[in-house]
Amino acid sequence: MSLRVFAGLCAVLFALPLSAHAQQLTGFAPAAAERQRTCEAQLADQPTPAAFRAHLKALTDEPHPAGSAANDRVRAYIDSVMTAAGLSTTHYPYDLYMPSPESAHATEVALVTPTRQPLNRQEYIHEGDAFSSHPDLRPGWNAYSGSGDVTREVVYANYGRKADFETLDSLGVDLEGKIVVARYGGNFRGFKAKYAEEHGAAGLLMYTDPADGGYTEGLPYPEGRYLSESMIQRGSVLTPLGGDPLTPEGPSLPTEADADVNRLDPADADLPEIPVAPLPYGAARKILSRMTGDAVPDGWQGGLPFAYRLAGGSELTVRLAVDQPKELTRATNVVGTIEGTEHPDEWVILGSHFDAWTFGATDPNSGTAMLLTLAEALGTLADAGCRPARSIKIAHWDAEEYGILGSTEWVEQLEDELQGGAVAYLNADGAVSGARFGAAAAPSLKGPLLDAARAVSYPGAEADTTTVYDHLAARTDPGDRLGDLGGGSDHVGFYTYAGVPSASGGFSGTTPVYHSAYDNFAWFKRFADTSFVYGPALARLDGTLALRLANADVLPYDVARYAKDLRGHVEALATRVEASNRPLSFAGLTATIDTLAQAAAAFEQARAERLANGPPPNASALNDTLLSLEQAFLHADGMPFGDQYRSLYASPNPFNGYASWMLPGLRHPIETEAPADTIDRWTAVYRDAIETLTRRVRVATAQVRGR
């Protein structure tokens, strides 16, 4: 090593948080730990604000929804950056049944009576925001809307949640043949459409109320970061989210591929049938202010300056017209790989989608720019002798916004490889929108993620904050530092279908510009990250975590966390059961978890003791066992609410689409008040899964002890 390189490395080391020097690296024998610390020191100086800023600017130069030529240009840019960084890139094309972005021009919303008036469906042009006048911006639209042209009376349904529609039923409000007006929030928009259709509505209009991120919280854009009267949340209404709707049982490979793809007839796919469109609140106000029915229940009043009402009355009619054909459309993922030196078939995967409703500065391209910055850093490290032992893949998914399409098809295509060798999936969708770090993870990744956070400096100016972990600890209780994964992004297929331990984290702030034309570079540099420092910080954190997972002698999974989190989730379900006064007991399940806790503690002690003296001779077989731990929760028949969700541990909430549902096979029969024998049957399924996990942990303990 030259004197100059040595001096530079020392400077980097002294710039690192003190905890990075002293930290014991779980899963590493002493020699490997020293090499790892050297590589992490080099990584700390690589991701720069200038690189992150340049990538974000290039990625968000034009609107690029899935299926557009602009999105192809973004994909080409991604490929060129990763190739230049030294990664080998592979394209994964699929033919997906989805609408064209041109559907935005085939939607109309208008007042008909008492005043004939077209309603605005596009954001205003602002002088200080050059992006807002881009000629390729489309009006607001919802992918997978049904087609139709209806002129009807209106009903207000609050957030359009299941409970809101039940309230309307209890109040005797007739939705048959009406157009429902619902505000965004409380659930995934696709469920608003689903419940409206189930209740006989003829159409659905959705808007973001100023009470939910508008002037009630701060100055509207462009003066401030908050919702303005012309801002529109675009989005898909495909329900459930998770893959091509015509190929629920396998990947939607290209039509010219030499593969037997069994596609449903579109008439047999469960797609929305009623027309659906989004509005800004300035347009929705013209409907809501003219309604004459009964006052809304408590909690339904929004932020507009008049009394909200349930029904519009016969004198108020609205036209909603949508013409949205769907057809097979090419979407292509691009995946870059740094091949591992020792275990190339074991993968640490980092990913973000790249398609956007408009410019997508925060969602998703802050994640894309972060991953490109990280790809360049990892390429530099590989050239300097820090090539990982396991392969690191950096994946960029197409067509996520229409329904988590690209990543789900990739998981279905490579299911066997993933279950045999995927160490972890780290998701980066909408990774940077502010200064507040937060993350959610599978139990096995919570410890490694927190350890990585201890090794990375926090870039903000908060008092008493040195590392990202310090920043997180100052805001959270010890038991709530990391959340549990739910739905709504590309981790879903990996975690809930294939059983790959997954995590998702980033630096966040209030983002009322979500899915609007104002989610652009101008808004980002004013309100999300003015110095472009949080993207590089996340690249360091995700890079540190990825390198530790890739280089560890023994996979550093937080095995003990399984028992700790399971115990908490069972206690939460028991509380729900007690509130319903049902004679159900989870004592047997709790005892099974206690046994798992003992086995996990024994494993972690044995791993630490063995690694203190060097790597175990049978490390390959031991790591194969550890790779199988998460898959103990896979239930081949799926959950009661959908066979695309196979994880007994976690799923998206089947009634709102976004929130995490823990132990979903048990929670669903409890929530739906199923018979006791159904709950008993699922309790037995969970007991078997936990016992399987315990057996695998014990096998791993025996292996680490050389037996």
Side-chain angles (χ1 to χ4, degrees), residues 47-74:
T48 65
F52 176 78
R53 186 187 195 280
H55 289 315
L56 185 64
K57 183 68 170 63
L59 291 163
T60 61
D61 184 57
E62 57 185 330
H64 54 280
S68 68
N71 204 43
D72 293 339
R73 289 190 286 272
V74 169

mmCIF file of all heavy atoms in Angstrom, residues 47-74:
data_model
loop_
_atom_site.group_PDB
_atom_site.id
_atom_site.type_symbol
_atom_site.label_atom_id
_atom_site.label_comp_id
_atom_site.label_asym_id
_atom_site.label_seq_id
_atom_site.Cartn_x
_atom_site.Cartn_y
_atom_site.Cartn_z
ATOM 1 N N PRO A 47 -19.736 7.033 -1.674
ATOM 2 C CA PRO A 47 -20.960 7.682 -2.165
ATOM 3 C C PRO A 47 -20.939 9.177 -1.850
ATOM 4 O O PRO A 47 -20.801 9.575 -0.692
ATOM 5 C CB PRO A 47 -22.077 6.970 -1.390
ATOM 6 C CG PRO A 47 -21.467 5.712 -0.853
ATOM 7 C CD PRO A 47 -20.038 6.057 -0.607
ATOM 8 N N THR A 48 -21.050 10.019 -2.860
ATOM 9 C CA THR A 48 -20.934 11.461 -2.658
ATOM 10 C C THR A 48 -22.240 12.174 -3.011
ATOM 11 O O THR A 48 -23.003 11.708 -3.862
ATOM 12 C CB THR A 48 -19.819 12.042 -3.531
ATOM 13 O OG1 THR A 48 -20.180 11.887 -4.920
ATOM 14 C CG2 THR A 48 -18.496 11.347 -3.259
ATOM 15 N N PRO A 49 -22.493 13.325 -2.393
ATOM 16 C CA PRO A 49 -23.667 14.117 -2.773
ATOM 17 C C PRO A 49 -23.670 14.477 -4.251
ATOM 18 O O PRO A 49 -24.730 14.484 -4.890
ATOM 19 C CB PRO A 49 -23.540 15.358 -1.881
ATOM 20 C CG PRO A 49 -22.795 14.885 -0.676
ATOM 21 C CD PRO A 49 -21.803 13.891 -1.214
ATOM 22 N N ALA A 50 -22.512 14.766 -4.807
ATOM 23 C CA ALA A 50 -22.456 15.156 -6.216
ATOM 24 C C ALA A 50 -22.917 14.020 -7.119
ATOM 25 O O ALA A 50 -23.661 14.237 -8.085
ATOM 26 C CB ALA A 50 -21.039 15.583 -6.587
ATOM 27 N N ALA A 51 -22.493 12.791 -6.814
ATOM 28 C CA ALA A 51 -22.899 11.646 -7.631
ATOM 29 C C ALA A 51 -24.391 11.386 -7.496
ATOM 30 O O ALA A 51 -25.094 11.167 -8.501
ATOM 31 C CB ALA A 51 -22.100 10.410 -7.224
ATOM 32 N N PHE A 52 -24.882 11.418 -6.265
ATOM 33 C CA PHE A 52 -26.312 11.185 -6.044
ATOM 34 C C PHE A 52 -27.138 12.245 -6.760
ATOM 35 O O PHE A 52 -28.130 11.938 -7.432
ATOM 36 C CB PHE A 52 -26.606 11.190 -4.544
ATOM 37 C CG PHE A 52 -28.072 11.063 -4.212
ATOM 38 C CD1 PHE A 52 -28.706 9.848 -4.280
ATOM 39 C CD2 PHE A 52 -28.806 12.181 -3.831
ATOM 40 C CE1 PHE A 52 -30.065 9.725 -3.976
ATOM 41 C CE2 PHE A 52 -30.154 12.085 -3.534
ATOM 42 C CZ PHE A 52 -30.783 10.851 -3.604
ATOM 43 N N ARG A 53 -26.750 13.497 -6.633
ATOM 44 C CA ARG A 53 -27.483 14.593 -7.271
ATOM 45 C C ARG A 53 -27.504 14.428 -8.784
ATOM 46 O O ARG A 53 -28.545 14.600 -9.424
ATOM 47 C CB ARG A 53 -26.836 15.927 -6.895
ATOM 48 C CG ARG A 53 -27.585 17.160 -7.381
ATOM 49 C CD ARG A 53 -26.783 18.422 -7.104
ATOM 50 N NE ARG A 53 -27.591 19.632 -7.237
ATOM 51 C CZ ARG A 53 -27.898 20.218 -8.395
ATOM 52 N NH1 ARG A 53 -27.450 19.685 -9.532
ATOM 53 N NH2 ARG A 53 -28.641 21.312 -8.413
ATOM 54 N N ALA A 54 -26.367 14.105 -9.361
ATOM 55 C CA ALA A 54 -26.293 13.959 -10.816
ATOM 56 C C ALA A 54 -27.188 12.830 -11.313
ATOM 57 O O ALA A 54 -27.885 12.967 -12.330
ATOM 58 C CB ALA A 54 -24.844 13.719 -11.236
ATOM 59 N N HIS A 55 -27.173 11.707 -10.597
ATOM 60 C CA HIS A 55 -28.026 10.585 -11.014
ATOM 61 C C HIS A 55 -29.505 10.945 -10.874
ATOM 62 O O HIS A 55 -30.316 10.647 -11.765
ATOM 63 C CB HIS A 55 -27.703 9.346 -10.186
ATOM 64 C CG HIS A 55 -26.375 8.739 -10.511
ATOM 65 N ND1 HIS A 55 -25.931 8.549 -11.797
ATOM 66 C CD2 HIS A 55 -25.382 8.269 -9.704
ATOM 67 C CE1 HIS A 55 -24.730 8.004 -11.773
ATOM 68 N NE2 HIS A 55 -24.373 7.825 -10.521
ATOM 69 N N LEU A 56 -29.866 11.579 -9.778
ATOM 70 C CA LEU A 56 -31.270 11.927 -9.582
ATOM 71 C C LEU A 56 -31.742 12.901 -10.661
ATOM 72 O O LEU A 56 -32.856 12.768 -11.188
ATOM 73 C CB LEU A 56 -31.479 12.529 -8.191
ATOM 74 C CG LEU A 56 -32.931 12.835 -7.819
ATOM 75 C CD1 LEU A 56 -33.750 11.559 -7.765
ATOM 76 C CD2 LEU A 56 -33.010 13.567 -6.493
ATOM 77 N N LYS A 57 -30.907 13.865 -10.984
ATOM 78 C CA LYS A 57 -31.270 14.831 -12.021
ATOM 79 C C LYS A 57 -31.480 14.139 -13.365
ATOM 80 O O LYS A 57 -32.450 14.406 -14.088
ATOM 81 C CB LYS A 57 -30.175 15.890 -12.144
ATOM 82 C CG LYS A 57 -30.487 16.993 -13.149
ATOM 83 C CD LYS A 57 -31.640 17.865 -12.687
ATOM 84 C CE LYS A 57 -31.800 19.110 -13.545
ATOM 85 N NZ LYS A 57 -32.136 18.795 -14.946
ATOM 86 N N ALA A 58 -30.583 13.230 -13.721
ATOM 87 C CA ALA A 58 -30.701 12.532 -15.001
ATOM 88 C C ALA A 58 -31.922 11.623 -15.045
ATOM 89 O O ALA A 58 -32.624 11.547 -16.064
ATOM 90 C CB ALA A 58 -29.426 11.724 -15.263
ATOM 91 N N LEU A 59 -32.201 10.941 -13.960
ATOM 92 C CA LEU A 59 -33.322 9.997 -13.915
ATOM 93 C C LEU A 59 -34.669 10.694 -14.007
ATOM 94 O O LEU A 59 -35.655 10.110 -14.476
ATOM 95 C CB LEU A 59 -33.259 9.189 -12.618
ATOM 96 C CG LEU A 59 -32.113 8.190 -12.485
ATOM 97 C CD1 LEU A 59 -31.927 7.791 -11.030
ATOM 98 C CD2 LEU A 59 -32.360 6.958 -13.350
ATOM 99 N N THR A 60 -34.744 11.935 -13.540
ATOM 100 C CA THR A 60 -36.030 12.630 -13.431
ATOM 101 C C THR A 60 -36.149 13.778 -14.425
ATOM 102 O O THR A 60 -36.906 14.718 -14.206
ATOM 103 C CB THR A 60 -36.228 13.156 -11.993
ATOM 104 O OG1 THR A 60 -35.180 14.090 -11.680
ATOM 105 C CG2 THR A 60 -36.183 12.021 -10.991
ATOM 106 N N ASP A 61 -35.449 13.661 -15.518
ATOM 107 C CA ASP A 61 -35.456 14.730 -16.511
ATOM 108 C C ASP A 61 -36.803 14.863 -17.216
ATOM 109 O O ASP A 61 -37.177 15.952 -17.648
ATOM 110 C CB ASP A 61 -34.355 14.465 -17.540
ATOM 111 C CG ASP A 61 -34.226 15.591 -18.549
ATOM 112 O OD1 ASP A 61 -34.003 16.733 -18.112
ATOM 113 O OD2 ASP A 61 -34.363 15.323 -19.753
ATOM 114 N N GLU A 62 -37.550 13.758 -17.338
ATOM 115 C CA GLU A 62 -38.828 13.772 -18.038
ATOM 116 C C GLU A 62 -39.779 12.787 -17.370
ATOM 117 O O GLU A 62 -39.355 11.851 -16.694
ATOM 118 C CB GLU A 62 -38.637 13.412 -19.513
ATOM 119 C CG GLU A 62 -37.963 12.065 -19.727
ATOM 120 C CD GLU A 62 -37.664 11.776 -21.190
ATOM 121 O OE1 GLU A 62 -38.408 12.266 -22.063
ATOM 122 O OE2 GLU A 62 -36.691 11.033 -21.469
ATOM 123 N N PRO A 63 -41.089 12.956 -17.546
ATOM 124 C CA PRO A 63 -42.031 11.968 -17.020
ATOM 125 C C PRO A 63 -41.761 10.610 -17.667
ATOM 126 O O PRO A 63 -41.524 10.533 -18.881
ATOM 127 C CB PRO A 63 -43.396 12.523 -17.427
ATOM 128 C CG PRO A 63 -43.172 13.976 -17.683
ATOM 129 C CD PRO A 63 -41.771 14.082 -18.208
ATOM 130 N N HIS A 64 -41.799 9.531 -16.867
ATOM 131 C CA HIS A 64 -41.458 8.224 -17.439
ATOM 132 C C HIS A 64 -42.298 7.102 -16.821
ATOM 133 O O HIS A 64 -41.772 6.218 -16.144
ATOM 134 C CB HIS A 64 -39.960 7.935 -17.289
ATOM 135 C CG HIS A 64 -39.413 8.048 -15.897
ATOM 136 N ND1 HIS A 64 -39.099 9.251 -15.318
ATOM 137 C CD2 HIS A 64 -39.100 7.108 -14.971
ATOM 138 C CE1 HIS A 64 -38.624 9.046 -14.114
ATOM 139 N NE2 HIS A 64 -38.625 7.738 -13.875
ATOM 140 N N PRO A 65 -43.601 7.115 -17.081
ATOM 141 C CA PRO A 65 -44.433 5.998 -16.615
ATOM 142 C C PRO A 65 -44.100 4.708 -17.356
ATOM 143 O O PRO A 65 -43.547 4.735 -18.465
ATOM 144 C CB PRO A 65 -45.861 6.463 -16.925
ATOM 145 C CG PRO A 65 -45.702 7.455 -18.035
ATOM 146 C CD PRO A 65 -44.394 8.127 -17.797
ATOM 147 N N ALA A 66 -44.413 3.588 -16.752
ATOM 148 C CA ALA A 66 -44.180 2.292 -17.382
ATOM 149 C C ALA A 66 -44.890 2.232 -18.730
ATOM 150 O O ALA A 66 -46.009 2.723 -18.884
ATOM 151 C CB ALA A 66 -44.677 1.172 -16.478
ATOM 152 N N GLY A 67 -44.230 1.645 -19.710
ATOM 153 C CA GLY A 67 -44.812 1.526 -21.033
ATOM 154 C C GLY A 67 -44.505 2.689 -21.951
ATOM 155 O O GLY A 67 -44.936 2.683 -23.108
ATOM 156 N N SER A 68 -43.756 3.682 -21.475
ATOM 157 C CA SER A 68 -43.447 4.859 -22.292
ATOM 158 C C SER A 68 -42.024 4.765 -22.834
ATOM 159 O O SER A 68 -41.154 4.096 -22.266
ATOM 160 C CB SER A 68 -43.601 6.139 -21.476
ATOM 161 O OG SER A 68 -42.608 6.216 -20.461
ATOM 162 N N ALA A 69 -41.780 5.483 -23.930
ATOM 163 C CA ALA A 69 -40.429 5.552 -24.484
ATOM 164 C C ALA A 69 -39.477 6.219 -23.497
ATOM 165 O O ALA A 69 -38.290 5.870 -23.422
ATOM 166 C CB ALA A 69 -40.452 6.308 -25.801
ATOM 167 N N ALA A 70 -39.975 7.178 -22.728
ATOM 168 C CA ALA A 70 -39.137 7.843 -21.733
ATOM 169 C C ALA A 70 -38.655 6.857 -20.676
ATOM 170 O O ALA A 70 -37.518 6.953 -20.196
ATOM 171 C CB ALA A 70 -39.907 8.984 -21.081
ATOM 172 N N ASN A 71 -39.488 5.905 -20.305
ATOM 173 C CA ASN A 71 -39.074 4.906 -19.324
ATOM 174 C C ASN A 71 -37.986 4.010 -19.889
ATOM 175 O O ASN A 71 -37.083 3.576 -19.161
ATOM 176 C CB ASN A 71 -40.275 4.075 -18.878
ATOM 177 C CG ASN A 71 -40.072 3.462 -17.508
ATOM 178 O OD1 ASN A 71 -39.571 4.123 -16.599
ATOM 179 N ND2 ASN A 71 -40.466 2.207 -17.346
ATOM 180 N N ASP A 72 -38.054 3.726 -21.187
ATOM 181 C CA ASP A 72 -36.977 2.969 -21.830
ATOM 182 C C ASP A 72 -35.663 3.738 -21.762
ATOM 183 O O ASP A 72 -34.592 3.147 -21.575
ATOM 184 C CB ASP A 72 -37.338 2.672 -23.286
ATOM 185 C CG ASP A 72 -38.516 1.717 -23.425
ATOM 186 O OD1 ASP A 72 -38.804 0.986 -22.460
ATOM 187 O OD2 ASP A 72 -39.142 1.714 -24.504
ATOM 188 N N ARG A 73 -35.731 5.051 -21.902
ATOM 189 C CA ARG A 73 -34.511 5.861 -21.822
ATOM 190 C C ARG A 73 -33.931 5.840 -20.410
ATOM 191 O O ARG A 73 -32.697 5.821 -20.226
ATOM 192 C CB ARG A 73 -34.802 7.292 -22.275
ATOM 193 C CG ARG A 73 -35.058 7.412 -23.776
ATOM 194 C CD ARG A 73 -35.101 8.852 -24.235
ATOM 195 N NE ARG A 73 -36.329 9.543 -23.845
ATOM 196 C CZ ARG A 73 -37.448 9.544 -24.571
ATOM 197 N NH1 ARG A 73 -37.517 8.862 -25.709
ATOM 198 N NH2 ARG A 73 -38.504 10.229 -24.169
ATOM 199 N N VAL A 74 -34.795 5.862 -19.414
ATOM 200 C CA VAL A 74 -34.316 5.772 -18.031
ATOM 201 C C VAL A 74 -33.639 4.426 -17.803
ATOM 202 O O VAL A 74 -32.562 4.351 -17.192
ATOM 203 C CB VAL A 74 -35.486 5.976 -17.046
ATOM 204 C CG1 VAL A 74 -35.065 5.616 -15.623
ATOM 205 C CG2 VAL A 74 -35.966 7.421 -17.086
#
